[in-house]
Amino acid sequence: MIELFARLNAEGDLEELYGRARSQARTQPDQAIELLLSALLHTHGREESYAGVTQLLARLLVEQRQPRMALSAAWYAGNADDQRRLLENVPAIDRARTWAHWADREPESAVHHYRRAASELEHEGLLARAAVYYERAADPEAARTLWARLAQLLEGRDTDSYAAGLALFNQARTSHQLEDRSATRSATVAAVHRLEEAADRFEAIGQRERAFDCYHVLVAVGRLSGEFEHVLEGSVNAIRILTEDNLRYHALRLYEHAIRLAEQAGEHSAAATLAREMTDHARKQGMGHLARRYTMRQSQLWQRVAQGNTERGGPPQLSENAYLASLLAAVEAEQYGRVGALFRELAKLDIEPARTAHYARAARRYDDQQDARPETGGAEDRLGEHVAPPDVWHVDLLEWESGGSAAEACADVLLDPDALGDRITRRSTLVARLAALAAELAPEQSRPAGDTIVASYLAPVGLYELLAPLERLAASDEVEVRLAAVRALSRYFYKRTFVTLERALTDVDERVVGEASSAIERLRFDHAFDPLSRIYRTSGAAKARIAALRALARIDVAESAELALGVLDHGGPEEQQEMLAALRASRGDQFISAARAAYPGASQRLRVAIQDVFRHRGAAL
Amino acid sequence: MPVPPELASDPAIAGPLGSLALSVVAPRAPTLALRALRWHRDLQRLGIVLPLFVVHDLGLLLACDNEQLEVGPRVAVDTLLAAEPAATSAHRAYNEMVTEIAASEAARRSQSLRMGDDLVVVLLARLLGVIAEQVATTLSDPAGLPLDAQLVEHLGPQLPALFTSVPRHRETATLHGLVARRLLLLTLVDALDLDTLALFGLVGGDAATGAVAQVDLLSALGAPEANDVVDFSLEILPSVLEAKARPGASSHAAFGYAGLTRKGSIDSLVLTELAWDEQEMMRRLADDEVFYYSREQARDEARRIHLVLIDASASMRGDRATFARGMAIASAKQLMLAGEDVVFRFFDAHLYEPHSARHGQLPVGHVLSFKGERGRNPAKVFRELVNQLEIQALRDGRQPIVHLYTHAALYIPREIVAALTRLAHVAAIFMLPSGNQLHLDYLDLLHTHWVVDHQALTSRHTRAQEARRILGDLDGKASAWRAGAATGDGGEALAPRTGPSSRPQATTRRGQV
C-alpha cells in the first residue's frame, strides 16, 4: 500500500478524479483508491466533493480490508454509523479515539463514551490517554490511580523528568479533586522537584520553549496548591523567556495576567515590581504609548501598596517608600497634578516631622500643575488578553506516550475539535495519517522507504503536534529517511525545530548536513534569534554558519542587528561578505538604527561596510 | 593664572573648565572644585554625559556644607550670553532652580552624610541620569582634563576667556533642557532616598571599591523594593550596633593584655620564663610550653565561616525579598561585630559566586541590587553546596554555618538537607508562606529555623521586634558555637536533629532547636 503513496500526484482537479474513481469503484477498486488518494491531495477543493471522496474511500478501504485507514477517512467524513461499523476491526487505540470523538460531539453521553474509551486504553497499557479520558469522564479516582502508576513508572528515569513532573502534577490535581490533602501535598512537592529540574535542564541546553512549558505548569501548581510562590516563580520566568525570545506582545499580556494574579493574592508589592518591569520592557521595545500607560499603572499599584500598608497599620516607612515610588512613576508620565497629591499623602504619614514638613512644602510646588493628557490611539494599545497555553500536563504526556508515531499524532490533529475549522490542515493531516498507517503495514524491508514517504506527507502540515514524529524520523538509521525528515522540518517554524536541525548538522552524511543548512536559512522568525546565533557561534559546519548568518540578517530584532555589526567588524572575509549581501537585501529597521548609533565610534572596516549597506538600501547615515 | 596659555586653547581643557562660567555655586576651597572634576569624569564612565557646570553645582550642593559654598552667578553671565537672550533667561531660571535645591531636605541630609566621591557620583547619577537621557547632549567632553588642583584654583577671573574660547551650543542646550525639566529634577531631588547611603555609613558598604559597586548601588537607589530593604535594615541595625565588638584573646599587638597564651612574639614573653636555665628554656620553646601575654581586640582567624545564603528566585518577589535581604544585612553585621567571617551567596537555579565581607565592610550594594530570578532548582543548588562544603572541609578548618533566607516553597530533597546538616550548622528563616502554611519535610533536620508570616511583617511594631528577636536568637547560637570552639569541641555536634517539626501558627514563631 505504501508504494501507492509514492505514486500519488495531484494532476487533474478534485471533481474529475472523484468522478473517475466513482466509475471505477466496482470494476477496479485498486485504481479507484489510487484516484481517490490523489484527489485527497487537493486540499483546497470544495468541501462537498472532498467529503464525498473520503466517504467513497472509506467504503473501498473496508472492502480492501484496511479498517484503520477506512476509519481515518470516516473520521474526516464525520459519519458516526460508518465509524461504528468499523470499530470491531480496529485496534483499541482507534476505538478509544472514536468514542472520545463521539463524546466531544454528544455531551449527554460523553461520560459513557469517555469511560468506555479509558477502560479500553487502560487494558492496553496506554496509561496517560486512559487517565485523561477518565478525567473527562469525571472519574478522578480512576484517573489518579493511573497517574500514580505512570509517575511511578517514570520516577526512576532521569531523562523523563518533565514527563514525570507532569504525571505527578496530574496526580496532585486528581488528589485535590478527591480532597485528599496529604496525597495532594506529597504529589505537588514531587512534581515541583521534577519540573524545576526539567526547566533548568531545558534552559541549559537551549530549549527555552520547553522550559516555558515547565514554568506554565508551575503557575498551575501554585494556583492548585494556593502557594503564590510557585505562581510568581512560573510567571516571572515565563515572562523572561518570552522577553528573551522577542515575543513582546505575548510578554506584555503575560505581565498583565501576572499582575492580576498578584493583586488577587494580595501580593501588591510583587504586582508593583512586575508593573515596573512591564514599563521598562514596553519602553525598550519602542512601544511609547504602552510604556506611558504602564507607568501610570505602576504609579497606581505603588499607591495601593502604600494605602494597604497604612490601613493595616504597617511601618510608615514602607508606605513612604511606596508613595515615593508611585510619585516617581507619576513624574515619568508627567502627571504633575498627581505628584502634588502624592506629596500631600506623604505629608500625612507618621514619620519624622522634618520629613512631613518637607513633603508638605514640596506639595505646594505642584498646586497649579495639571496632569499631562494620556496619549491614546495607538494600535498597540489594544493588546488583548493573555491566552494560556493548552493543558500541557495532558498534551505533552499524550505526545510522550505516542512515542513519535506519525499515525497517532495525525489522529490527534484529525480528531481535535478545535481544528475542525481548519480544513486544509485537516486534509493534509488525513493524507499523512493514511500514509503513516500504510507505512506501518509495510514489510520490514520497505520500512525506510515508507518512512521517507511519510516524512514528505508530514511536511505540508507544519503543526507543532507533528514535530515529535519528524524528530523520530530524523533519528532514523537510514540516510534517506533523515534527509526527508530534515527537509520536512524546514516548514516547521518553531524553536523546537532547531534542536533536531542542530543534531542534523553533525550527521555523517553530507547531504543531510546540506539539507539542514538550507532549512536553517529558511527558518527566520523573531524568536529564532537565540538558536540561530547559537548555530552561528558553535556549529562546526561552515555551510550552517553561513546559513545561520543569512537568516539572522533578515531577523529584525536589536540583538540580531548587534550581531550583524559584530560580524561586519570582526568576522572572517567570507562571513563578512555573506552578511553584507544579506543585509543589502533585508528590510528591517533595527539594523539601520543600530548602525547609525555605532557609526561614529566604528572602525574603518565597519564604517565601509555600513556605508555599503546604507547605499544599497537607499538610507541616509 | 591657573590655566596656562598653552592649555587654555585646548578644547579638552577649556571646554569643561570654561563651562564653569555658567556655574552658580562657588566653592570656598579649590579642592572642592577638584572633586567636581572627578565626579564629572566618573559620570561619563557611567554613560551620563552633561556639561561640567551642572555636575559641579549639584554635586557640591549634595556633598558639601552650605558654609563652604556660595550660591549665585560667578561671572557676568548676561554679558557672556548677550548674543542669546533666551539662554540668558534660561540661566536665570537655572540659578533659581539651584537655589531651590540648595534649600531642599535632600541637600540638608546629604551634607550631613559626608559622602566620599564614589557615593556622590552614584547620587548624581541617580538625579541626572534621566535628565541626561532627555537633554540630547550626545557629545561628551574630550578626555584629557587632568585632575590638577592648580587648574581650578582662583579660576574665576579666567572663566570668561575660557568660556568664549570654544563654541557653547551644548551648554546652552543643556541649560534650556534643564529649565524645561525643572519640575522633574526638583521632584527627583525631593524623592531622593538617602537612607541607602546612610546604611552604607552604618554597615561599612563597599561603594568605594570601584565602578562595579557604584553600578550596584545606583541600581539599588533606583529600585523601590531596595528602599524597603534599607529602611528595614536601618530599623533593626541600631540594636545590632549596640553590641560592642567582643574582646578576644590574641597574639597580635593591640591595646592591653588579656591573659596568657602558648603562642606569641618575644616582646610579649612572660618575664619569669627567662628564669629557666638555657636547656629547659629551649625545650619549653620547642614544645610550645612557654607562656606569652595575650593581647586584647585583634583576634586570631575565626574558627567559623558564616555563609549567608539568600534566595534570589522569583518566588521571593515583593515583601519576602525585603525582609530576607534586610535581615541578612543586619545579621551579617552582627556576626562581623562578633569577629566572625561572613560570606554572602545568592541562589536561584544556580548557586552564585560568594561575596565576602572584608575589612569590616559588607557588600551592601551587591546584596541590595542582586537580581537572579532565573529559574529555581534547589536540588541542584544544595547538592552543589554540599559538594563545595565537602571540598572546603579538606582545605579550610573553619566550621561552616549556613544562614538560609528563603520562602516557604523551597522543596529541597530531604536527603540533601541531611547531607548538608552533617557538614554545617544550618539556620533557616522562611519568609511569608502563602496562606501562613509551612509544610516542608526537612524542617526537623535543620539545626534551627524561624518562620516570618505576613502578620509579623505588616505590623508596625512587631516587624522590627521579631527581627531583633531572631537576631538575638542567632547571636545566642553564635555564642554557643563560640563557647564550643573555645572549649575545643568545635561547637555543637553536627548530627541531624530529630526535634518536632514546626507547626504553623498565626504569628512569627521559632522552630524547635
Side-chain angles (χ1 to χ4, degrees), chain B residues 85-230:
Chain B
T88 312
S89 61
H91 187 263
R92 245 176 257 132
Y94 170 70
N95 186 20
E96 284 167 20
M97 188 166 71
V98 169
T99 310
E100 269 191 83
I101 293 173
S104 71
E105 177 74 2
R108 186 188 66 76
R109 284 193 65 205
S110 66
Q111 288 161 7
S112 67
L113 290 174
R114 308 213 174 271
M115 294 175 287
D117 286 338
D118 289 295
L119 288 184
V120 177
V121 168
V122 171
L123 209 50
L124 285 172
R126 171 79 188 123
L127 286 180
L128 297 173
V130 188
I131 306 280
E133 260 174 40
Q134 295 185 9
V135 179
T137 52
T138 48
L139 289 178
S140 56
D141 283 319
L145 180 63
L147 296 182
D148 182 353
Q150 284 184 341
L151 282 178
V152 288
E153 202 167 1
H154 307 302
L155 187 63
Q158 209 180 349
L159 280 177
L162 288 170
F163 184 82
T164 51
S165 66
V166 291
R168 294 293 173 186
H169 308 301
R170 202 176 134 240
E171 281 78 1
T172 50
T174 305
L175 268 181
H176 289 299
L178 275 172
V179 171
R181 288 159 187 81
R182 169 182 166 272
L183 268 183
L184 171 61
L185 182 58
L186 291 174
T187 312
L188 287 174
V189 170
D190 284 331
L192 204 56
D193 170 50
L194 293 168
D195 290 339
T196 307
L197 304 181
L199 181 70
F200 270 75
L202 270 181
V203 300
D206 56 355
T209 56
V212 175
Q214 274 183 357
V215 173
D216 280 346
L217 182 57
L218 185 55
S219 147
L221 280 178
E225 60 274 20
N227 298 347
D228 288 342
V229 180
V230 168

Side-chain angles (χ1 to χ4, degrees), chain A residues 332-401:
Chain A
E332 229 174 277
E334 297 177 62
Q335 304 289 301
Y336 287 109
R338 181 175 167 76
V339 172
L342 289 166
F343 267 125
R344 282 191 287 279
E345 291 298 322
L346 278 161
K348 289 182 205 161
L349 291 176
D350 182 15
I351 49 178
E352 269 178 68
R355 285 168 96 104
T356 49
H358 156 68
Y359 291 134
R361 261 197 319 277
R364 287 196 284 276
R365 188 182 294 135
Y366 305 88
D367 280 348
D368 303 324
Q369 296 296 327
Q370 298 293 315
D371 289 339
R373 190 178 295 175
E375 293 173 48
T376 52
E380 62 192 26
D381 282 2
R382 294 181 291 276
L383 259 189
E385 283 290 308
H386 161 72
V387 180
D391 296 345
V392 289
W393 41 91
H394 281 171
V395 175
D396 285 3
L397 275 177
L398 294 180
E399 181 194 292
W400 169 85
E401 193 170 66

Side-chain angles (χ1 to χ4, degrees), chain B residues 307 309 345 351 380-390 402 420 423:
Chain B
L307 187 58
L309 204 56
R345 289 191 91 160
L351 182 59
K380 186 182 92 176
V381 164
F382 284 86
R383 205 176 296 127
E384 192 181 332
L385 180 67
V386 167
N387 289 342
Q388 291 184 9
L389 289 175
E390 277 172 353
V402 175
L420 181 64
L423 292 163

Side-chain angles (χ1 to χ4, degrees), chain B residues 17-55:
Chain B
L17 287 183
S19 86
L20 290 178
L22 299 178
S23 157
V24 290
V25 178
R28 293 189 202 278
T31 47
L32 295 178
L34 185 66
R35 288 182 73 187
L37 298 187
R38 197 181 152 203
W39 304 332
H40 185 237
R41 184 200 64 189
D42 287 0
L43 280 173
Q44 286 204 16
R45 283 180 186 162
L46 288 174
I48 296 164
V49 180
L50 281 169
L52 176 61
F53 77 94
V54 182
V55 176

Side-chain angles (χ1 to χ4, degrees), chain A residues 185 193 196 200 227-230 233 237 267 269 273 276-277 313-314 321 331 350 355 358 365-366, chain B residues 105 109 184 187 190 225 228 231 315 317 319-320 373 375-378 380 411 434 439 458 460:
Chain A
R185 180 76 199 157
H193 275 159
E196 288 171 339
D200 193 26
E227 288 172 304
F228 192 70
E229 291 88 339
H230 298 313
E233 185 67 33
N237 281 289
E267 299 262 354
S269 292
T273 59
R276 187 161 58 88
E277 286 174 8
N321 288 335
V331 169
D350 182 15
R355 285 168 96 104
H358 156 68
R365 188 182 294 135
Y366 305 88
Chain B
E105 177 74 2
R109 284 193 65 205
L184 171 61
T187 312
D190 284 331
E225 60 274 20
D228 288 342
D231 277 336
S315 313
R317 273 284 172 108
D319 295 335
R320 292 179 195 85
E373 302 191 342
R376 195 175 69 183
N377 191 351
K380 186 182 92 176
Y411 305 152
S434 300
H439 294 296
T458 49
R460 182 176 175 177

Side-chain angles (χ1 to χ4, degrees), chain A residues 404-422:
Chain A
S405 158
E408 297 309 322
C410 289
D412 280 336
V413 176
L414 200 54
L415 294 173
D416 181 358
D418 296 334
L420 291 177
D422 185 359

